[in-house]
Amino acid sequence: MFEAAEIEHNVSKEKFKEAELELHHRVLTLQQRLRQSSKSLIIIVSGVEGAGKGEVLDRLNRWFDTRDVETHAFWDETDEELQRPRYWRFWRCLPARGSVGIMFGSWYTKPIVDLALKRSDQATMDQELARINALEQMLSIDGSIILKFWFHLPKEEQKRRLESEAKIKKLKKSPLLEDFSKSYDSFLSVSERAIRVSDTGHAPWHIIGATDMKYRDLAMGSILVNTLEEALTEDDQADNKPATLASSLPSDSDDDIVAAILNGEASHATVLDSVDLSQQLDDKDYDEQLIALQEKLHGLAWEMFRLRRNMVMVFEGWDGAGKGSAIRRVTAAIDARLYRVIPIAAPSDEELAHHYLWRFWRHIPRCGHITIYDRSWYGRVLVERVEGFASKQQWLRSYQEINDFEEHLTNHGTVVCKFWVHIDQEEQLRRFKAREQDPRKQHKITDEDWRNREKWHNYELAVNDLVTHTSTANTPWTLVAGNDKKFARVQILRTICDRLQAVVGAEQYSHAVEPD
């Protein structure tokens, strides 16, 4: 979930100064519109200790006209608050219509801290998150614009900031930084689940990398301006009022928003840029590794059958990336009695008459068996998003729906492996042309494939958001280096074997016995 936020971004001082002035002006202009509207704005500032959340608060209070802004810090509870229901402290701080409330910490703080420090259990946190979702939905329906920011630092960067006295002096150092840094992994694991469960269409999380402070503040400001503009324009249209400020910022991706405000100067990196596409295997290494991994997978599949554990594999990727050939190398290793491959195309009339997840639920394997999806439920946040088949609210809330769906699977004991097979545009073009020249493969290339190439950038942003919102501890995404098909197939087989090996134990697979 935090991979995209760990990509390094660098913004020059000159560009920061220019963009920051523009953001400041736009925040003030939008605040004027907010005053005249029936809406309020709630900004939640959360994240890893040491990420500079105090500096973010300073920036927000400089951008806004503070006459209509109140900032509230929630960390320690007073005796007065302890004598009342927990949400009393939040209710009395909610902003009035036309004003802004900034929450440093929020209703998320106590559930996350308590579970990370083992002062509560998972069931207690889940109950609390259900209450939070109900509260945020109720506030949103009533007209509150809820902006939730999570500022992220990699573990090594947090440690560096803690150890660097010179750096710490430049920060508003949290008194919790040293203690929380000792439990970084625990806090991140708990926070990931909290974000995943509460990442909704009406109150989505925005995860921002805080390694570069200039990028952090511009990303936060850009998302703030874009969200506020969109919400107030909808309000104007509902009241038959013309909007007074046209937005030049796109609304499909947080990273795209930042790129727009910087006029393209910032490095517009996505998680796909972290994939080393130069990796390759020669024929000899490929043959040796392929045979060894297929033999291992054969035994592991039978051991999973004996243990009554099932598995779901998801294959997504660019057109022409080699998903089909990779799936064939996987199925070649597994007894045909144990698996099914489900190719996903446009939904039928029957499927359209149901919730979009219905058709995937139908093919979940029984205990001991494997279902392989050639494309999947992620079409909701990929093709349906990019092609406009789903509204923004529909695909935004789908992240949580998908995470909940996959959690149903993993809670049952299902092993879920998700692959995005990545290639670059040049390699895709080469493969497309080769297919057109090969009579055996001409059926694989369609006009739609060429049209999709024109929307490469939009799909790239959608994939970045997909990984950000749905790569979890139990169902991580594997980004496959697909320019060399041999390397990709081996990477996929090795990943599957590693996941299954962790389930069945270090040596059990070798003792698997096939039935007569």
mmCIF file of all heavy atoms in Angstrom, residues 170-194:
data_model
loop_
_atom_site.group_PDB
_atom_site.id
_atom_site.type_symbol
_atom_site.label_atom_id
_atom_site.label_comp_id
_atom_site.label_asym_id
_atom_site.label_seq_id
_atom_site.Cartn_x
_atom_site.Cartn_y
_atom_site.Cartn_z
ATOM 1 N N LYS A 170 15.320 21.099 12.419
ATOM 2 C CA LYS A 170 14.527 21.767 11.406
ATOM 3 C C LYS A 170 13.074 21.295 11.427
ATOM 4 O O LYS A 170 12.235 21.859 10.750
ATOM 5 C CB LYS A 170 15.121 21.507 10.025
ATOM 6 C CG LYS A 170 16.524 22.058 9.844
ATOM 7 C CD LYS A 170 17.038 21.742 8.465
ATOM 8 C CE LYS A 170 18.478 22.224 8.276
ATOM 9 N NZ LYS A 170 19.000 21.876 6.957
ATOM 10 N N LEU A 171 12.808 20.242 12.178
ATOM 11 C CA LEU A 171 11.466 19.680 12.221
ATOM 12 C C LEU A 171 10.761 20.085 13.494
ATOM 13 O O LEU A 171 11.395 20.416 14.493
ATOM 14 C CB LEU A 171 11.517 18.141 12.170
ATOM 15 C CG LEU A 171 12.180 17.510 10.949
ATOM 16 C CD1 LEU A 171 12.290 16.012 11.168
ATOM 17 C CD2 LEU A 171 11.363 17.785 9.700
ATOM 18 N N LYS A 172 9.446 20.041 13.452
ATOM 19 C CA LYS A 172 8.693 20.105 14.698
ATOM 20 C C LYS A 172 8.685 18.681 15.252
ATOM 21 O O LYS A 172 7.820 17.883 14.946
ATOM 22 C CB LYS A 172 7.277 20.612 14.435
ATOM 23 C CG LYS A 172 7.211 22.101 14.173
ATOM 24 C CD LYS A 172 5.805 22.600 14.361
ATOM 25 C CE LYS A 172 5.783 24.118 14.419
ATOM 26 N NZ LYS A 172 4.442 24.651 14.666
ATOM 27 N N LYS A 173 9.674 18.389 16.036
ATOM 28 C CA LYS A 173 9.888 17.015 16.458
ATOM 29 C C LYS A 173 8.776 16.549 17.383
ATOM 30 O O LYS A 173 8.469 17.187 18.380
ATOM 31 C CB LYS A 173 11.239 16.879 17.160
ATOM 32 C CG LYS A 173 11.550 15.450 17.601
ATOM 33 C CD LYS A 173 12.889 15.376 18.306
ATOM 34 C CE LYS A 173 13.149 13.975 18.821
ATOM 35 N NZ LYS A 173 14.418 13.912 19.564
ATOM 36 N N SER A 174 8.174 15.405 17.034
ATOM 37 C CA SER A 174 7.131 14.828 17.868
ATOM 38 C C SER A 174 7.754 14.185 19.094
ATOM 39 O O SER A 174 8.785 13.505 18.997
ATOM 40 C CB SER A 174 6.353 13.770 17.077
ATOM 41 O OG SER A 174 5.570 12.991 17.945
ATOM 42 N N PRO A 175 7.138 14.349 20.282
ATOM 43 C CA PRO A 175 7.655 13.662 21.467
ATOM 44 C C PRO A 175 7.494 12.154 21.364
ATOM 45 O O PRO A 175 8.095 11.411 22.150
ATOM 46 C CB PRO A 175 6.791 14.233 22.604
ATOM 47 C CG PRO A 175 5.538 14.692 21.930
ATOM 48 C CD PRO A 175 5.961 15.173 20.578
ATOM 49 N N LEU A 176 6.691 11.701 20.380
ATOM 50 C CA LEU A 176 6.461 10.269 20.211
ATOM 51 C C LEU A 176 7.398 9.642 19.191
ATOM 52 O O LEU A 176 7.380 8.437 18.998
ATOM 53 C CB LEU A 176 5.009 10.035 19.766
ATOM 54 C CG LEU A 176 3.917 10.643 20.654
ATOM 55 C CD1 LEU A 176 2.555 10.450 20.006
ATOM 56 C CD2 LEU A 176 3.942 10.037 22.038
ATOM 57 N N LEU A 177 8.207 10.475 18.515
ATOM 58 C CA LEU A 177 9.012 9.981 17.406
ATOM 59 C C LEU A 177 9.919 8.830 17.811
ATOM 60 O O LEU A 177 9.944 7.781 17.181
ATOM 61 C CB LEU A 177 9.833 11.128 16.808
ATOM 62 C CG LEU A 177 10.841 10.750 15.710
ATOM 63 C CD1 LEU A 177 10.150 10.031 14.566
ATOM 64 C CD2 LEU A 177 11.560 11.988 15.201
ATOM 65 N N GLU A 178 10.673 9.014 18.900
ATOM 66 C CA GLU A 178 11.637 7.988 19.292
ATOM 67 C C GLU A 178 10.944 6.699 19.704
ATOM 68 O O GLU A 178 11.342 5.601 19.299
ATOM 69 C CB GLU A 178 12.514 8.504 20.430
ATOM 70 C CG GLU A 178 13.676 7.561 20.753
ATOM 71 C CD GLU A 178 14.714 8.228 21.636
ATOM 72 O OE1 GLU A 178 14.568 9.434 21.927
ATOM 73 O OE2 GLU A 178 15.671 7.536 22.016
ATOM 74 N N ASP A 179 9.873 6.816 20.509
ATOM 75 C CA ASP A 179 9.162 5.621 20.957
ATOM 76 C C ASP A 179 8.484 4.902 19.796
ATOM 77 O O ASP A 179 8.556 3.677 19.670
ATOM 78 C CB ASP A 179 8.117 5.987 22.011
ATOM 79 C CG ASP A 179 8.750 6.419 23.329
ATOM 80 O OD1 ASP A 179 9.923 6.039 23.576
ATOM 81 O OD2 ASP A 179 8.090 7.122 24.103
ATOM 82 N N PHE A 180 7.831 5.663 18.925
ATOM 83 C CA PHE A 180 7.099 5.043 17.826
ATOM 84 C C PHE A 180 8.044 4.450 16.787
ATOM 85 O O PHE A 180 7.705 3.475 16.133
ATOM 86 C CB PHE A 180 6.167 6.063 17.162
ATOM 87 C CG PHE A 180 4.892 6.298 17.940
ATOM 88 C CD1 PHE A 180 4.764 5.893 19.253
ATOM 89 C CD2 PHE A 180 3.824 6.939 17.337
ATOM 90 C CE1 PHE A 180 3.599 6.115 19.968
ATOM 91 C CE2 PHE A 180 2.641 7.170 18.043
ATOM 92 C CZ PHE A 180 2.539 6.760 19.366
ATOM 93 N N SER A 181 9.226 5.046 16.628
ATOM 94 C CA SER A 181 10.157 4.518 15.633
ATOM 95 C C SER A 181 10.628 3.114 16.009
ATOM 96 O O SER A 181 10.970 2.322 15.131
ATOM 97 C CB SER A 181 11.361 5.452 15.486
ATOM 98 O OG SER A 181 12.137 5.475 16.678
ATOM 99 N N LYS A 182 10.612 2.793 17.288
ATOM 100 C CA LYS A 182 11.003 1.455 17.726
ATOM 101 C C LYS A 182 9.956 0.415 17.324
ATOM 102 O O LYS A 182 10.247 -0.778 17.284
ATOM 103 C CB LYS A 182 11.206 1.438 19.247
ATOM 104 C CG LYS A 182 12.333 2.337 19.729
ATOM 105 C CD LYS A 182 12.399 2.370 21.252
ATOM 106 C CE LYS A 182 13.493 3.331 21.737
ATOM 107 N NZ LYS A 182 13.519 3.422 23.210
ATOM 108 N N SER A 183 8.742 0.867 17.066
ATOM 109 C CA SER A 183 7.657 -0.041 16.688
ATOM 110 C C SER A 183 7.161 0.274 15.281
ATOM 111 O O SER A 183 5.970 0.132 14.987
ATOM 112 C CB SER A 183 6.502 0.069 17.693
ATOM 113 O OG SER A 183 6.934 -0.171 19.006
ATOM 114 N N TYR A 184 8.073 0.728 14.414
ATOM 115 C CA TYR A 184 7.696 1.160 13.067
ATOM 116 C C TYR A 184 6.885 0.087 12.335
ATOM 117 O O TYR A 184 5.815 0.352 11.783
ATOM 118 C CB TYR A 184 8.954 1.501 12.270
ATOM 119 C CG TYR A 184 8.696 1.943 10.848
ATOM 120 C CD1 TYR A 184 8.628 3.289 10.521
ATOM 121 C CD2 TYR A 184 8.537 1.013 9.819
ATOM 122 C CE1 TYR A 184 8.391 3.710 9.212
ATOM 123 C CE2 TYR A 184 8.302 1.416 8.513
ATOM 124 C CZ TYR A 184 8.234 2.760 8.223
ATOM 125 O OH TYR A 184 8.001 3.156 6.934
ATOM 126 N N ASP A 185 7.394 -1.154 12.323
ATOM 127 C CA ASP A 185 6.736 -2.215 11.562
ATOM 128 C C ASP A 185 5.339 -2.489 12.092
ATOM 129 O O ASP A 185 4.397 -2.687 11.321
ATOM 130 C CB ASP A 185 7.570 -3.495 11.594
ATOM 131 C CG ASP A 185 8.886 -3.330 10.845
ATOM 132 O OD1 ASP A 185 8.939 -2.517 9.895
ATOM 133 O OD2 ASP A 185 9.861 -4.008 11.213
ATOM 134 N N SER A 186 5.206 -2.509 13.407
ATOM 135 C CA SER A 186 3.895 -2.764 14.001
ATOM 136 C C SER A 186 2.915 -1.653 13.669
ATOM 137 O O SER A 186 1.775 -1.896 13.265
ATOM 138 C CB SER A 186 4.030 -2.909 15.518
ATOM 139 O OG SER A 186 2.757 -3.084 16.118
ATOM 140 N N PHE A 187 3.364 -0.402 13.811
ATOM 141 C CA PHE A 187 2.484 0.728 13.507
ATOM 142 C C PHE A 187 2.102 0.742 12.030
ATOM 143 O O PHE A 187 0.958 1.028 11.678
ATOM 144 C CB PHE A 187 3.161 2.043 13.891
ATOM 145 C CG PHE A 187 2.919 2.441 15.311
ATOM 146 C CD1 PHE A 187 3.868 2.204 16.287
ATOM 147 C CD2 PHE A 187 1.724 3.022 15.691
ATOM 148 C CE1 PHE A 187 3.648 2.552 17.609
ATOM 149 C CE2 PHE A 187 1.482 3.374 17.004
ATOM 150 C CZ PHE A 187 2.446 3.138 17.965
ATOM 151 N N LEU A 188 3.053 0.435 11.149
ATOM 152 C CA LEU A 188 2.756 0.470 9.728
ATOM 153 C C LEU A 188 1.761 -0.622 9.350
ATOM 154 O O LEU A 188 0.851 -0.397 8.551
ATOM 155 C CB LEU A 188 4.044 0.305 8.909
ATOM 156 C CG LEU A 188 3.995 0.954 7.518
ATOM 157 C CD1 LEU A 188 3.832 2.463 7.633
ATOM 158 C CD2 LEU A 188 5.246 0.620 6.742
ATOM 159 N N SER A 189 1.909 -1.808 9.931
ATOM 160 C CA SER A 189 0.989 -2.897 9.646
ATOM 161 C C SER A 189 -0.428 -2.556 10.093
ATOM 162 O O SER A 189 -1.397 -2.745 9.353
ATOM 163 C CB SER A 189 1.467 -4.178 10.346
ATOM 164 O OG SER A 189 0.529 -5.213 10.178
ATOM 165 N N VAL A 190 -0.539 -2.016 11.299
ATOM 166 C CA VAL A 190 -1.857 -1.641 11.817
ATOM 167 C C VAL A 190 -2.439 -0.486 11.003
ATOM 168 O O VAL A 190 -3.627 -0.474 10.660
ATOM 169 C CB VAL A 190 -1.764 -1.266 13.306
ATOM 170 C CG1 VAL A 190 -3.091 -0.713 13.818
ATOM 171 C CG2 VAL A 190 -1.348 -2.476 14.133
ATOM 172 N N SER A 191 -1.595 0.484 10.676
ATOM 173 C CA SER A 191 -2.068 1.641 9.917
ATOM 174 C C SER A 191 -2.528 1.237 8.521
ATOM 175 O O SER A 191 -3.517 1.770 8.004
ATOM 176 C CB SER A 191 -0.958 2.688 9.809
ATOM 177 O OG SER A 191 -0.575 3.157 11.084
ATOM 178 N N GLU A 192 -1.814 0.301 7.906
ATOM 179 C CA GLU A 192 -2.205 -0.157 6.579
ATOM 180 C C GLU A 192 -3.620 -0.708 6.596
ATOM 181 O O GLU A 192 -4.447 -0.380 5.745
ATOM 182 C CB GLU A 192 -1.261 -1.242 6.082
ATOM 183 C CG GLU A 192 -1.663 -1.816 4.722
ATOM 184 C CD GLU A 192 -0.999 -3.145 4.415
ATOM 185 O OE1 GLU A 192 -1.551 -4.190 4.812
ATOM 186 O OE2 GLU A 192 0.054 -3.125 3.775
ATOM 187 N N ARG A 193 -3.919 -1.514 7.599
ATOM 188 C CA ARG A 193 -5.273 -2.077 7.679
ATOM 189 C C ARG A 193 -6.302 -0.982 7.937
ATOM 190 O O ARG A 193 -7.386 -0.978 7.343
ATOM 191 C CB ARG A 193 -5.336 -3.131 8.785
ATOM 192 C CG ARG A 193 -6.737 -3.697 8.954
ATOM 193 C CD ARG A 193 -6.815 -4.832 9.961
ATOM 194 N NE ARG A 193 -8.193 -5.213 10.160
ATOM 195 C CZ ARG A 193 -8.890 -5.974 9.335
ATOM 196 N NH1 ARG A 193 -8.319 -6.418 8.228
ATOM 197 N NH2 ARG A 193 -10.153 -6.279 9.586
ATOM 198 N N ALA A 194 -5.979 -0.049 8.837
ATOM 199 C CA ALA A 194 -6.915 1.040 9.132
ATOM 200 C C ALA A 194 -7.214 1.855 7.880
ATOM 201 O O ALA A 194 -8.371 2.202 7.603
ATOM 202 C CB ALA A 194 -6.352 1.931 10.230
#
